[in-house]
Amino acid sequence: MKRILTIACLLSLVVASGAMAEDYGWRLSFSNTDPADSTATVPATTPHSVYLWLNCTNLDGMSAAEFTAQFPAGFFGHGFTPMNGVLNAGNATNLLLAVGGCPMRPFLAGEFGPYLDFTGAGGSWCLVPSPTGNNVTVDCDPVSPIAHDNAITGCATNGNAICRTGTCEPVSVEGTSWGSIKTLYR
């Protein structure tokens, strides 16, 4: 009975910790060198690209991801161009990405665009669930990979609101001696 209660407590901790933050975070940026460049003031006649970054990982890298890119109305642009060894088995907006080597953050996965704003009003770009309902990243576990929900940060032009869903904060690990760990259980 004691063993069953211990397992139940551990499972409840795992479930509770998973509800607090996602293990993977994706970000849309106007820069191919800075994932945090999420706002811009862009004249309607200036073409610009939107870049897809894996911005947060709390596990040992990613192997695949699935989500849909949602763009503002009034923008005309080209599709998605994968980068850095990423393959897209989806299409220009419904992405089904795969990559070898289990990249960690920050990782530039690809480029949308370039885009032109025909309205001049700007807009907001976001990543949303795919037509199959998935907004996930698959970890690199070689035995039993798991799909994890994504945290998302979009980008916007001309003062429009940036979409944000979930949170993904990198976990810092500090060096701890074995003796100090043992004292936690006494």
Side-chain angles (χ1 to χ4, degrees), residues 26-43 46-53 55 70-72 75 83 108 110-117 121-126 153-164:
W26 290 88
R27 188 172 194 130
L28 296 172
S29 171
F30 293 112
S31 172
N32 64 355
T33 59
D34 180 8
D37 187 7
S38 296
T39 60
T41 301
V42 181
T46 304
H48 60 280
S49 293
V50 174
Y51 296 91
L52 176 64
W53 289 86
N55 193 55
Q70 187 176 60
F71 302 115
F75 278 75
M83 303 168 110
L108 179 58
E111 173 186 9
F112 296 99
Y115 285 91
L116 281 173
D117 178 1
S124 181
W125 287 259
C126 197
T153 302
C155 62
T157 61
N158 301 343
N160 287 281
I162 294 174
C163 75
R164 296 183 199 284

Side-chain angles (χ1 to χ4, degrees), residues 3-110:
R3 178 179 280 177
I4 292 172
L5 288 175
T6 302
I7 291 170
C9 286
L10 288 174
L11 285 174
S12 68
L13 286 174
V14 169
V15 170
S17 67
M20 292 172 45
E22 284 70 28
D23 290 316
Y24 293 93
W26 290 88
R27 188 172 194 130
L28 296 172
S29 171
F30 293 112
S31 172
N32 64 355
T33 59
D34 180 8
D37 187 7
S38 296
T39 60
T41 301
V42 181
T45 58
T46 304
H48 60 280
S49 293
V50 174
Y51 296 91
L52 176 64
W53 289 86
L54 174 63
N55 193 55
C56 179
T57 55
N58 288 325
L59 300 172
D60 292 331
M62 59 88 62
S63 62
E66 181 180 1
F67 38 72
T68 291
Q70 187 176 60
F71 302 115
F75 278 75
F76 174 76
H78 300 288
F80 179 74
T81 304
M83 303 168 110
N84 298 317
V86 173
L87 301 173
N88 181 18
N91 60 35
T93 56
N94 298 313
L95 304 180
L96 183 54
L97 307 177
V99 65
C102 296
M104 300 287 287
R105 69 172 175 92
F107 177 73
L108 179 58

